[in-house]
Amino acid sequence: MLRRSKIRELLAGEAAGGAVLVQGWVKTKRSSKTVSFLQINDGSTLADIQVVVDSELPDHALMDSLNTGCSVNIEGTLVASLGKGQRYEIAARRLEVLGLTDPEEYPLQKKRHTLEFLRDMAHLRPRTNTFGAMARVRSSLAFAVHSFFQQRGYVYLHAPIITASDAEGAGAMFRVTTLDLGDLPTRDGAVDNDADFFGKPAFLTVSGQLEAEIFALALSDVYTFGPTFRAENSNTSRHLAEFWMVEPEVAFCDLDGLASLAEDFLKYLFSYVLEHCPEDMKFFNKWFEPTTVETLRSIVDSRFERITYTEAIDMLKASGENFEFPVEWGTDLQSEHERYLTEKKIGSPVIVTDYPKDIKAFYMRLNDDGQTVRAMDVLVPRIGEIIGGSQREERRDLLLSRLQEAGLSEEHYWWYLELRQFGTAPHSGFGLGFERTVQFVTGMQNIRDVVAFPRTPRRAEF
Ligand code: ATP
Ligand code: MN
């Protein structure tokens, strides 16, 4: 029995002239009097391989039953192709049908389907060119995340997914409970949380940051890369209820160092995907966003602009643009503001730093002006915020007063405060939204199309 070859290898001419076995799904079939052609894909690459089935071949009789979507085994010889469009093809010797498809019922026909239609077909959409390319680019980017940090000696930390730290204010949380919602135990007229699994309320994590800080203050350079959850009811093209975040946390590093890390990291990811997924990237560039490859290339060679929040507000005020949300020092930047800065005003990625303390989390380091904190957001065209981070407040007394100001409980954060009591050190970290990165790289409009099984308000199918 022959070993299965990947179509990617065959199209590169590996095993040319030899006997090969391919297994995959039929994309299309064409027949003439003397010969039939099948286009087969196995997901190893965007391109299909052409299989030539001579009508003299005994198995040619099977051709009538084959349709788009059928799965097949094909044995044959890899030969140089005479036709246009491919260098190699398979001259079939033996054909075997593994799974038939009724063409009347198979939802993925040759024509192009809308992305909305395909979202309801999450079990079949990986077989389309678009979602095959998406899966490969996403996988490649995930590998690049690890290789970037591993090459630099960062330790990969698995932050917990279930957490009882309810706060840090990153977003609304999903509660995790084993209580019977139809019959809640009560004590003194309120729900008895003591009866819950952990003896107190527990949630799905919104960020691995606090745990990453613990490890940074011991191992110096760490990162997490895992799922995070936000129960925000925001039905936008850039928010998911379940998404993956990359969170490096670095000791002995200030905000400038962190901004440089973010810049190096994004450039590494973009050049990695350009180098390792050229066909898939060409595909996205052709069918979805005609500037994406060019944009990534120019970012790799650019220097990210750095401006303060206060400068950003001045630029927005001077812009003469008609924004939906008013621009006022002290209010958060909306996506339209972020996009103006990166797309129109500056024309490249921008790192905005030093936001007003009142719109940022309590753990961000207070500046000497007493008004702003050492926060940073990295903004990119089309997406807006792709990274959010900060230098953390390492001074215990200041951290404590920020905690109190935010109305958070000191007892709850006892360990976070102790990290500042025992060998505190400057440290900084950021969170990169992994789906927003895939979205930016591929040029896809909607974040639901860069994740296999999107979870959004009122949708958790498959
Ligand atoms: P936004 O203001 O865009 O909602 P945020 O400021 O709440 O984002 P952070 O808490 O800073 O987000 O999270 C770090 C990164 O995680 C963001 O820069 C973004 O790339 C990503 N991110 C945040 N929320 C979501 C979400 N709901 N879906 C997908 N990615 C997200
Ligand atoms: Mn943010």
Side-chain angles (χ1 to χ4, degrees), residues 170 230 232 238-240 243 245 385-388 431-433 436 447:
R230 305 228 174 144
E232 299 155 309
R238 349 175 281 155
H239 288 92
L240 292 164
F243 63 100
M245 235 206 286
E385 178 186 336
I386 195 165
I387 285 179
L432 167 82
R436 286 201 194 164
I447 200 166

Side-chain angles (χ1 to χ4, degrees), residues 146-161:
H146 286 296
S147 68
F148 176 86
F149 288 115
Q150 295 285 333
Q151 279 168 18
R152 283 160 184 76
Y154 283 62
V155 174
Y156 178 33
L157 168 72
H158 296 109
I161 288 170

Side-chain angles (χ1 to χ4, degrees), residues 257-297:
L258 188 73
S260 299
L261 179 71
E263 180 170 345
D264 291 348
F265 181 40
L266 287 177
K267 288 178 177 174
Y268 180 90
L269 294 181
F270 300 161
S271 52
Y272 189 94
V273 79
L274 288 172
E275 188 188 337
H276 289 85
C277 306
E279 276 94 32
D280 292 324
M281 286 306 301
K282 227 194 294 174
F283 172 85
F284 286 114
N285 203 75
K286 176 166 182 202
W287 295 102
F288 291 99
E289 175 52 59
T291 63
T292 190
V293 167
E294 186 193 309
T295 305
L296 296 180
R297 280 218 185 92

Side-chain angles (χ1 to χ4, degrees), residues 360 377 385 388:
K360 289 292 181 184
D377 277 4
E385 178 186 336

